[in-house]
């Protein structure tokens, strides 16, 4: 093991920059590198996946390191066993062998109807674990989603076959155990805090009579009501092409470059030029890497041609498919573009407001002009915002206990804003997918719909919350995984309020959206862009930003877009696998095994990707829910928050609590002329005056 790998392991796995790892832990990590022949970065990715599977904040010590090593070895053994089983099945599947056993047991001859016709029993899965006699399963169950060990047989034209031999979520089944919500450990524990020096206010004696925030939508919500699945290829290509041309103008203006400095990377020339284009891969399959990099040019400059990139002459790089880049280099041979420098895309300006506008918002937070007689900013109670993202209930029930607990905490703390991000009724939830769940006693099952389920399971706790805290503002952002959303593509229109039974305090907004809470600009989306970027990105030997979560967030800020990845990650690489559950006679849930499926994916509509662009300024707060570890970080003066999921597959999750202190202003500004006030703009600096706590529900 060379010294370079050791230093990289320290950089990736050390709890703090500059800290060291115990010798026994370092020895285990080095052993895993040798056993699996992988790089430290890939080992770190596997460790993060393992931490997510185990739930919570898994600390790296000798015990967890050995458990992690065992998990990797088990994964390797299972993969090899599956391959061996596949080869032996192929050998037994010759023409000479007659499947008489299957004929005797009532199955079809070649297993072609397995799990396609409910009345056709499948031989697979009926063999006893000890290899003994066959057991026939009683066929009195209602046909539903069943377990199949043959992914090809379970596929359909609407669902491609799952080519993955084994997924991380399948391995998780051995380690994860379902925990009742009432007996959950560490409820209310704060696992991460940003700006801990800022105080958390005590709850008021009574909620405010009027809302303390003014909600302004910085996004034209009407534009999101487009007709999905009506995309024209010409429109999509124009949108993608215009984005390259727009960034060309941005780079030219920022670096003060003449038109002659730019050119097409596909044209053979010995002159050094600056080429602006989109990063892509030279093949549809496979992960992006340094050998497969190509630059896609615009039709105006390079006729839309793609040219391979050589990046050996630059110290490092950070690329992902769809990224708009400005590269300095030369194409002397006409076969590839040799990059000598990467010109960084300039940042959007930070949000700012006039002193007069800030004073107006401060009066609203304080309770009106009469309450502004004091000059002490410490007497003003900060704004409190809860941010939570779905799913809101575990896989084995539809009780939504986490949502009820969140609403209880919101009512007890008299918060100002509750930001809820979908999915609310998750189409990937096994009970919703199979339809095997009970309706409330007062609901007619013949006339019930998913809207009825939403009204009883989601709207009821929200209505109870608004009765206890009438001045609260509830923001609800849909997801493409929401059952009740008829808009199946991203960007996505708001949910339809009709028949949902939501209180008037609930505001339905689009996915993505940019809103202003008083002066604070908040950008939010429901897509898991961070996880998809992590799967798709590639970088040099040592990236500029070593922290993965900060690096992924910085991609969004530099690209000025909520979802800059194009094309999105393939569904078969999402490795989604869920459990099926049925209700037994005593009311408890019985796990029926794994349901092989693919995740929903991004569901992008390229013709309307401009609705995901940031227009004038960076947001003060960027909310990006993800399955990656929850965090709160300041990246390029933007407060980036991943609240995590409120409910995980088998355990409670986390949410984010924001405490927004007022901006300290120089009260002498009121003595200035009104013209000077209008001209002066004060940056909001929310990252300095906001405390963020990631809390276990």
């Amino acid at each position: 093991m060379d010294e370079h790998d050791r230093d990289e392991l320290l950089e990736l796995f050390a709890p703090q920059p500059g800290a060291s790892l115990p010798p026994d832990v370092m020895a285990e990590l080095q052993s895993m590198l040798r056993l699996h022949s992988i790089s430290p970065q890939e080992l770190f990715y596997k460790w993060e996946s393992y931490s997510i599977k185990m739930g919570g904040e898994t600390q790296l010590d000798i015990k967890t390191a050995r458990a992690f090593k065992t998990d990797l070895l088990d994964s390797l053994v299972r993969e090899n066993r599956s391959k061996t089983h596949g080869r032996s099945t192929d050998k037994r599947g010759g023409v000479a062998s007659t499947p008489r056993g299957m004929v005797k047991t009532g199955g079809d001859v070649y297993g072609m109807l397995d799990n396609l016709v409910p009345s056709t029993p499948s031989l697979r899965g009926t063999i006893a674990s000890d290899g003994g006699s066959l057991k026939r399963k009683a066929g009195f169950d209602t046909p539903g989603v069943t377990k199949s060990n043959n992914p090809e047989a379970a596929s359909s034209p609407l669902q491609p076959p799952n080519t993955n031999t084994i997924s991380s979520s399948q391995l998780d089944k051995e380690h994860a155990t379902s925990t009742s919500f009432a007996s959950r450990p560490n409820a209310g524990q704060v696992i991460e805090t940003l700006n801990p020096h800022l105080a958390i206010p005590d709850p008021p004696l009574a909620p405010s009579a009027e809302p303390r925030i003014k909600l302004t939508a910085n996004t034209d919500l009407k534009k999101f009501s487009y007709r999905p699945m009506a995309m024209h290829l010409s429109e999509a290509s124009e949108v993608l092409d215009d984005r390259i041309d727009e960034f060309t103008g941005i780079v030219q203006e920022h670096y003060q470059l003449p038109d002659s400095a730019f050119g097409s990377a596909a044209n053979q020339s010995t002159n050094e030029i600056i080429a602006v284009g989109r990063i892509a891969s030279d093949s549809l399959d496979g992960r992006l890497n340094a050998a497969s990099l190509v630059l896609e040019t615009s039709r105006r400059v390079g006729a839309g041609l793609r040219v391979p990139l050589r990046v050996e002459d630059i110290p490092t790089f950070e690329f992902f498919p769809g990224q708009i880049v400005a590269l300095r280099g030369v194409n002397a041979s006409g076969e590839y573009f040799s990059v000598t420098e990467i010109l960084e895309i300039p940042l959007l300006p930070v949000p700012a407001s006039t002193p007069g506008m800030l004073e107006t918002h401060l009066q609203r937070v304080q309770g009106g002009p009469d309450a502004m007689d004091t000059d002490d900013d410490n007497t003003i109670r900060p704004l409190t915002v809860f941010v939570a993202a779905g799913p809101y209930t575990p896989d084995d029930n539809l009780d939504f206990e986490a949502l009820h607990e969140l609403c209880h905490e919101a009512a007890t703390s008299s918060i100002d804003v509750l930001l809820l991000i979908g999915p609310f009724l998750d189409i990937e939830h096994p009970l919703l997918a199979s339809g095997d769940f009970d309706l409330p006693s007062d609901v007619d099952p013949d006339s019930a719909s998913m809207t009825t389920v939403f009204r009883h399971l989601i709207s009821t706790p929200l209505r109870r919350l608004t009765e206890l805290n009438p001045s609260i503002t509830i923001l609800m952002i849909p997801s493409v995984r929401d059952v009740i959303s008829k808009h199946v593509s991203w960007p996505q229109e708001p949910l339809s309020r009709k028949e949902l039974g939501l209180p008037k305090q609930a505001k339905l907004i689009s996915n993505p959206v940019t809103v202003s809470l008083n002066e604070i600009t908040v950008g939010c989306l429901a897509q898991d862009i961070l996880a998809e970027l992590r799967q798709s990105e590639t970088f040099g030997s040592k990236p500029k930003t070593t922290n993965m979560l900060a690096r992924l967030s910085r991609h969004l800020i530099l690209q000025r877009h909520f979802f800059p990845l194009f094309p999105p990650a393939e569904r078969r690489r999402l490795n989604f696998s869920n459990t099926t559950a049925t209700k037994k006679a005593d009311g408890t849930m019985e796990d029926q095994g794994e349901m092989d499926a693919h995740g929903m994916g991004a569901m992008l509509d390229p013709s309307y990707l401009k609705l995901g662009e940031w227009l004038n300024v960076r947001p003060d707060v960027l909310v990006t829910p993800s399955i990656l570890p929850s965090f709160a970080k300041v990246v390029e003066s933007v407060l980036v928050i991943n609240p995590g999921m409120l409910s995980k597959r088998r355990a409670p999750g986390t949410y984010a609590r924001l405490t927004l202190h007022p901006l300290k202003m120089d009260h002498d500004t009121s003595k200035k002329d009104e013209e000077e006030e209008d001209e002066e703009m004060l940056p909001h600096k929310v990252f300095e005056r906001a405390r963020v706590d990631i809390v276990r529900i």
Side-chain angles (χ1 to χ4, degrees):
M1 183 66 58
D2 58 13
E3 194 67 25
H4 175 72
D5 288 343
R6 182 182 179 86
D7 294 341
E8 193 169 353
L9 287 173
L10 283 175
E11 185 176 353
L12 293 170
F13 288 91
Q16 295 178 354
S20 60
L21 291 173
D24 50 357
V25 174
M26 176 62 73
E28 292 291 346
L29 296 177
Q30 292 174 338
S31 174
M32 283 182 267
L33 292 183
R34 291 191 297 267
L35 284 174
H36 300 277
S37 299
I38 57 178
S39 65
Q41 185 71 49
E42 187 174 354
L43 181 65
F44 181 68
Y45 285 159
K46 293 181 181 294
W47 163 253
E48 286 187 325
S49 300
Y50 177 76
S51 300
I52 295 172
K53 289 191 301 179
M54 299 305 295
E57 294 296 316
T58 305
Q59 300 294 330
L60 181 61
D61 52 28
I62 185 59
K63 182 178 179 180
T64 56
R66 288 172 178 170
F68 173 48
K69 183 178 181 180
T70 303
D71 183 81
L72 291 182
L73 291 175
D74 290 344
S75 175
L76 183 62
V77 170
R78 294 175 190 276
E79 185 176 355
N80 293 336
R81 184 183 303 164
S82 177
K83 292 179 180 178
T84 304
H85 175 73
R87 288 194 295 267
S88 61
T89 302
D90 293 340
K91 293 179 181 179
R92 293 194 302 267
V95 179
S97 59
T98 303
R100 301 183 184 275
M102 296 184 66
V103 177
K104 291 180 180 180
T105 56
D108 60 293
V109 177
Y110 293 106
M112 297 175 63
L113 301 180
D114 285 357
N115 300 290
L116 296 181
V117 180
S119 61
T120 304
S122 173
L123 178 66
R124 303 181 184 94
T126 61
I127 299 177
S129 59
D130 57 354
S133 60
L134 302 180
K135 297 180 181 180
R136 181 185 296 274
K137 183 179 179 182
F140 302 107
D141 296 337
T142 301
V145 181
T146 57
K147 178 180 178 180
S148 171
N149 291 331
N150 185 0
E152 297 292 337
S155 64
S156 70
L158 297 180
Q159 177 183 314
N162 188 359
T163 58
N164 295 325
T165 306
I166 189 166
S167 65
S168 59
S169 55
Q170 288 173 325
L171 293 178
D172 179 37
K173 189 178 177 182
E174 296 183 357
H175 304 281
T177 56
S178 182
T179 305
S180 64
F181 188 82
S183 60
R184 66 193 187 279
N186 304 321
Q189 178 187 13
V190 177
I191 60 177
E192 182 177 346
T193 300
L194 180 69
N195 292 332
H197 62 281
L198 299 175
I200 300 177
D202 295 327
L205 299 178
S208 304
E210 297 292 334
R212 298 200 302 156
I213 65 110
K214 178 182 179 182
L215 179 66
T216 305
N218 300 336
T219 302
D220 190 354
L221 300 182
K222 294 181 180 179
K223 293 183 178 179
F224 287 80
S225 299
Y226 63 90
R227 186 175 63 173
M229 302 179 67
M231 179 183 66
H232 298 284
L233 291 179
S234 58
E235 295 178 0
S237 63
E238 288 176 2
V239 170
L240 298 174
D241 204 59
D242 291 344
R243 183 164 168 81
I244 298 177
D245 293 335
E246 291 173 4
F247 272 77
T248 301
I250 292 171
V251 172
Q252 183 175 6
E253 181 181 358
H254 178 75
Y255 290 98
Q256 299 295 316
L257 298 171
D259 294 339
S260 58
F262 295 85
S264 172
N267 294 340
Q268 180 178 1
S269 175
T270 57
N271 297 327
E272 189 177 63
I273 62 168
I274 296 175
V276 180
R278 178 180 291 105
I279 293 295
S281 177
D282 60 359
S283 63
L284 295 178
D285 298 327
R287 186 169 177 173
L288 187 70
N289 54 62
S292 63
L293 287 172
V294 297
L295 184 71
E296 180 183 319
T297 61
S298 67
R299 286 179 292 184
R300 182 178 66 86
V301 176
L305 297 175
R306 290 186 172 187
V307 58
L309 295 178
R310 292 288 182 87
V311 292
E312 294 86 355
D313 296 333
I314 54 178
T316 186
F317 57 87
E318 300 170 6
F319 291 146
F320 62 88
Q323 180 181 8
I324 307 298
V325 295
L327 307 176
R328 189 190 302 273
V330 62
N331 185 352
S333 63
E335 297 180 355
Y336 59 86
F337 186 77
S338 181
V339 182
T340 58
E341 182 185 1
I342 301 176
L343 278 67
E344 191 164 286
I345 303 296
L347 296 168
L348 283 169
V350 296
S353 302
T354 62
M357 294 176 61
L358 295 175
E359 195 75 19
T360 302
H361 295 313
L362 199 59
Q363 290 179 7
R364 183 179 296 104
V365 173
Q366 180 67 8
D370 297 337
M372 293 294 295
D373 296 337
T374 176
D375 291 341
D376 188 7
D377 290 337
N378 295 327
T379 61
I380 302 177
R381 185 166 63 91
L383 293 171
T384 303
V385 180
F386 281 5
V387 181
Y392 292 90
T393 189
D395 282 0
D396 59 354
N397 66 72
L398 290 175
D399 296 334
F400 286 87
E401 294 173 296
L403 179 61
H404 284 267
E405 179 64 22
L406 181 70
C407 291
H408 173 73
E409 290 292 331
T412 304
S413 304
S414 295
I415 68 172
D416 300 285
V417 180
L418 176 61
L419 176 57
L420 299 177
I421 305 167
F424 300 100
L425 295 181
D426 191 357
I427 198 172
E428 295 180 351
H429 193 285
L431 296 181
L432 293 175
S434 63
D436 187 14
F437 60 92
D438 295 330
L439 293 171
S441 57
D442 57 340
V443 176
D444 181 12
D446 295 331
S447 60
S449 63
M450 282 300 175
T451 303
T452 310
V453 177
F454 183 95
R455 187 165 60 247
H456 282 78
L457 300 182
I458 305 295
S459 300
T460 298
L462 296 182
R463 287 197 303 268
R464 190 178 300 116
L465 169 61
T466 56
E467 292 172 359
L468 299 174
N469 185 5
S471 63
I472 192 174
T473 299
I474 303 175
L475 304 179
M476 302 182 69
I477 300 176
S479 166
V480 294
R481 288 164 49 185
D482 269 306
V483 175
I484 61 171
S485 177
K486 297 180 181 179
H487 203 98
V488 297
S489 59
W490 191 93
Q492 184 182 14
E493 69 176 356
L495 296 175
S496 175
R497 182 180 287 271
K498 184 179 180 181
E499 299 180 357
L500 293 183
L502 291 168
K504 64 178 182 180
Q505 291 90 339
K507 312 297 180 184
L508 304 179
I509 50 182
S510 61
N511 170 30
V513 71
T514 304
V515 296
S516 291
L517 307 178
N518 291 342
E519 80 280 4
I520 302 171
T521 304
V522 180
C524 183
L525 78 161
Q527 297 296 115
D528 192 352
I529 177 60
L530 297 183
E532 293 203 31
L533 277 176
R534 176 198 165 190
Q535 286 189 349
S536 304
E537 75 163 346
T538 184
F539 46 82
S541 57
K542 189 174 183 181
K544 294 180 180 179
T545 308
T546 56
N547 185 280
M548 181 194 66
L549 300 174
R551 182 175 69 250
L552 299 177
S553 304
R554 191 170 183 268
H555 287 324
L556 306 183
I557 300 172
L558 287 175
Q559 292 294 297
R560 310 179 177 196
H561 203 283
F562 284 107
F563 202 98
L565 180 67
F566 188 84
E570 296 179 76
R571 293 178 60 206
R572 64 181 178 86
R573 291 174 55 188
L574 297 180
N575 287 338
F576 169 78
S577 182
N578 220 329
T579 57
T580 59
T582 56
K583 184 166 292 189
K584 297 191 292 187
D586 58 358
T588 60
M589 304 306 298
E590 179 182 8
D591 190 358
Q592 297 294 328
E594 296 291 329
M595 176 181 66
D596 292 328
H598 295 290
M600 287 291 294
M603 312 283 286
L604 294 186
D605 193 324
S607 300
Y608 294 90
L609 286 181
K610 287 187 69 66
L611 296 176
E613 291 183 351
W614 301 355
L615 299 179
N616 300 319
V617 295
R618 284 173 268 172
D620 291 307
V621 181
L622 177 61
V623 181
T624 59
S626 175
I627 62 172
L628 298 180
S630 53
F631 68 90
K633 296 183 180 297
V634 178
V635 183
E636 300 292 353
S637 301
V638 178
L639 178 56
V640 185
I641 301 173
N642 170 22
M645 297 171 290
L646 191 67
S647 179
K648 299 180 181 180
R649 290 182 54 210
R650 299 173 182 267
T654 58
Y655 69 96
R657 179 180 62 209
L658 279 76
T659 305
L660 301 169
H661 289 258
L663 179 64
K664 294 183 179 181
M665 298 172 53
D666 184 3
H667 294 282
D668 293 337
T669 55
S670 59
K671 301 178 183 179
K672 297 182 181 180
D673 296 335
E674 293 185 0
E675 295 183 357
E676 294 184 17
E677 281 193 11
D678 292 338
E679 293 178 358
E680 184 183 10
M681 299 291 287
L682 299 179
H684 299 161
K685 295 183 179 180
V686 174
F687 60 91
E688 293 181 352
R689 55 188 177 98
R691 171 179 174 140
V692 183
D693 297 288
I694 305 297
V695 187
R696 297 185 191 275
I697 187 64

PDB file of all heavy atoms in Angstrom, residues 60 162 172 227 354 357 393 458 519 522 529 635:
ATOM      1  N   LEU A  60     -17.152   5.628  12.302  1.00  0.00           N
ATOM      2  CA  LEU A  60     -16.128   4.684  11.873  1.00  0.00           C
ATOM      3  C   LEU A  60     -15.215   4.352  13.039  1.00  0.00           C
ATOM      4  O   LEU A  60     -14.424   5.191  13.486  1.00  0.00           O
ATOM      5  CB  LEU A  60     -15.332   5.262  10.701  1.00  0.00           C
ATOM      6  CG  LEU A  60     -14.236   4.352  10.136  1.00  0.00           C
ATOM      7  CD1 LEU A  60     -14.837   3.058   9.597  1.00  0.00           C
ATOM      8  CD2 LEU A  60     -13.461   5.072   9.029  1.00  0.00           C
ATOM      9  N   ASN A 162     -34.851  -6.292 -14.743  1.00  0.00           N
ATOM     10  CA  ASN A 162     -33.790  -5.847 -13.850  1.00  0.00           C
ATOM     11  C   ASN A 162     -32.544  -6.678 -14.115  1.00  0.00           C
ATOM     12  O   ASN A 162     -32.522  -7.876 -13.855  1.00  0.00           O
ATOM     13  CB  ASN A 162     -34.254  -6.001 -12.398  1.00  0.00           C
ATOM     14  CG  ASN A 162     -33.277  -5.370 -11.436  1.00  0.00           C
ATOM     15  OD1 ASN A 162     -32.251  -4.847 -11.854  1.00  0.00           O
ATOM     16  ND2 ASN A 162     -33.604  -5.417 -10.163  1.00  0.00           N
ATOM     17  N   ASP A 172     -29.334  -4.797   2.418  1.00  0.00           N
ATOM     18  CA  ASP A 172     -29.763  -4.088   3.613  1.00  0.00           C
ATOM     19  C   ASP A 172     -30.781  -4.894   4.413  1.00  0.00           C
ATOM     20  O   ASP A 172     -30.924  -4.721   5.619  1.00  0.00           O
ATOM     21  CB  ASP A 172     -30.357  -2.740   3.189  1.00  0.00           C
ATOM     22  CG  ASP A 172     -30.855  -1.921   4.361  1.00  0.00           C
ATOM     23  OD1 ASP A 172     -30.197  -1.981   5.409  1.00  0.00           O
ATOM     24  OD2 ASP A 172     -31.880  -1.236   4.222  1.00  0.00           O
ATOM     25  N   ARG A 227     -48.422  20.523 -20.969  1.00  0.00           N
ATOM     26  CA  ARG A 227     -48.905  19.174 -21.209  1.00  0.00           C
ATOM     27  C   ARG A 227     -47.719  18.225 -21.272  1.00  0.00           C
ATOM     28  O   ARG A 227     -46.905  18.292 -22.192  1.00  0.00           O
ATOM     29  CB  ARG A 227     -49.698  19.122 -22.513  1.00  0.00           C
ATOM     30  CG  ARG A 227     -50.353  17.756 -22.757  1.00  0.00           C
ATOM     31  CD  ARG A 227     -51.220  17.777 -23.982  1.00  0.00           C
ATOM     32  NE  ARG A 227     -50.435  18.041 -25.184  1.00  0.00           N
ATOM     33  CZ  ARG A 227     -50.931  17.984 -26.420  1.00  0.00           C
ATOM     34  NH1 ARG A 227     -52.205  17.705 -26.596  1.00  0.00           N
ATOM     35  NH2 ARG A 227     -50.155  18.228 -27.455  1.00  0.00           N
ATOM     36  N   THR A 354     -33.056  46.624  -0.488  1.00  0.00           N
ATOM     37  CA  THR A 354     -32.856  47.990  -0.024  1.00  0.00           C
ATOM     38  C   THR A 354     -33.146  48.064   1.468  1.00  0.00           C
ATOM     39  O   THR A 354     -33.920  47.255   2.009  1.00  0.00           O
ATOM     40  CB  THR A 354     -33.781  48.960  -0.770  1.00  0.00           C
ATOM     41  OG1 THR A 354     -35.148  48.605  -0.503  1.00  0.00           O
ATOM     42  CG2 THR A 354     -33.533  48.885  -2.267  1.00  0.00           C
ATOM     43  N   MET A 357     -36.917  48.077   2.255  1.00  0.00           N
ATOM     44  CA  MET A 357     -37.598  46.790   2.197  1.00  0.00           C
ATOM     45  C   MET A 357     -37.264  45.933   3.420  1.00  0.00           C
ATOM     46  O   MET A 357     -38.139  45.270   3.984  1.00  0.00           O
ATOM     47  CB  MET A 357     -37.211  46.045   0.922  1.00  0.00           C
ATOM     48  CG  MET A 357     -37.678  46.702  -0.366  1.00  0.00           C
ATOM     49  SD  MET A 357     -37.102  45.829  -1.832  1.00  0.00           S
ATOM     50  CE  MET A 357     -37.870  44.224  -1.577  1.00  0.00           C
ATOM     51  N   THR A 393     -43.828   7.812   5.843  1.00  0.00           N
ATOM     52  CA  THR A 393     -44.197   6.618   6.589  1.00  0.00           C
ATOM     53  C   THR A 393     -43.326   5.464   6.109  1.00  0.00           C
ATOM     54  O   THR A 393     -42.918   5.438   4.944  1.00  0.00           O
ATOM     55  CB  THR A 393     -45.694   6.302   6.398  1.00  0.00           C
ATOM     56  OG1 THR A 393     -46.090   5.257   7.295  1.00  0.00           O
ATOM     57  CG2 THR A 393     -46.008   5.888   4.972  1.00  0.00           C
ATOM     58  N   ILE A 458     -53.052  12.649   5.050  1.00  0.00           N
ATOM     59  CA  ILE A 458     -52.154  13.807   4.987  1.00  0.00           C
ATOM     60  C   ILE A 458     -52.851  15.080   5.461  1.00  0.00           C
ATOM     61  O   ILE A 458     -52.319  15.825   6.296  1.00  0.00           O
ATOM     62  CB  ILE A 458     -51.621  14.000   3.554  1.00  0.00           C
ATOM     63  CG1 ILE A 458     -50.948  12.720   3.050  1.00  0.00           C
ATOM     64  CG2 ILE A 458     -50.655  15.173   3.506  1.00  0.00           C
ATOM     65  CD1 ILE A 458     -49.707  12.329   3.795  1.00  0.00           C
ATOM     66  N   GLU A 519     -37.553  38.715   3.081  1.00  0.00           N
ATOM     67  CA  GLU A 519     -36.467  39.039   2.147  1.00  0.00           C
ATOM     68  C   GLU A 519     -35.659  37.808   1.743  1.00  0.00           C
ATOM     69  O   GLU A 519     -34.834  37.878   0.815  1.00  0.00           O
ATOM     70  CB  GLU A 519     -35.528  40.080   2.776  1.00  0.00           C
ATOM     71  CG  GLU A 519     -34.516  39.541   3.774  1.00  0.00           C
ATOM     72  CD  GLU A 519     -35.093  39.309   5.161  1.00  0.00           C
ATOM     73  OE1 GLU A 519     -36.320  39.503   5.339  1.00  0.00           O
ATOM     74  OE2 GLU A 519     -34.329  38.948   6.069  1.00  0.00           O
ATOM     75  N   VAL A 522     -35.533  31.403  -1.162  1.00  0.00           N
ATOM     76  CA  VAL A 522     -35.400  29.965  -0.913  1.00  0.00           C
ATOM     77  C   VAL A 522     -35.661  29.226  -2.223  1.00  0.00           C
ATOM     78  O   VAL A 522     -36.701  29.419  -2.861  1.00  0.00           O
ATOM     79  CB  VAL A 522     -36.387  29.483   0.173  1.00  0.00           C
ATOM     80  CG1 VAL A 522     -36.229  27.976   0.400  1.00  0.00           C
ATOM     81  CG2 VAL A 522     -36.176  30.248   1.464  1.00  0.00           C
ATOM     82  N   ILE A 529     -31.248  15.214  -6.919  1.00  0.00           N
ATOM     83  CA  ILE A 529     -30.188  15.546  -7.867  1.00  0.00           C
ATOM     84  C   ILE A 529     -28.819  15.196  -7.291  1.00  0.00           C
ATOM     85  O   ILE A 529     -27.907  14.810  -8.040  1.00  0.00           O
ATOM     86  CB  ILE A 529     -30.268  17.046  -8.246  1.00  0.00           C
ATOM     87  CG1 ILE A 529     -29.137  17.431  -9.180  1.00  0.00           C
ATOM     88  CG2 ILE A 529     -30.275  17.926  -7.017  1.00  0.00           C
ATOM     89  CD1 ILE A 529     -29.104  16.678 -10.484  1.00  0.00           C
ATOM     90  N   VAL A 635     -22.066  26.873   0.941  1.00  0.00           N
ATOM     91  CA  VAL A 635     -21.315  26.675  -0.288  1.00  0.00           C
ATOM     92  C   VAL A 635     -21.503  27.916  -1.153  1.00  0.00           C
ATOM     93  O   VAL A 635     -22.619  28.214  -1.571  1.00  0.00           O
ATOM     94  CB  VAL A 635     -21.791  25.421  -1.049  1.00  0.00           C
ATOM     95  CG1 VAL A 635     -20.942  25.191  -2.292  1.00  0.00           C
ATOM     96  CG2 VAL A 635     -21.763  24.190  -0.151  1.00  0.00           C
TER      97      VAL A 635
END
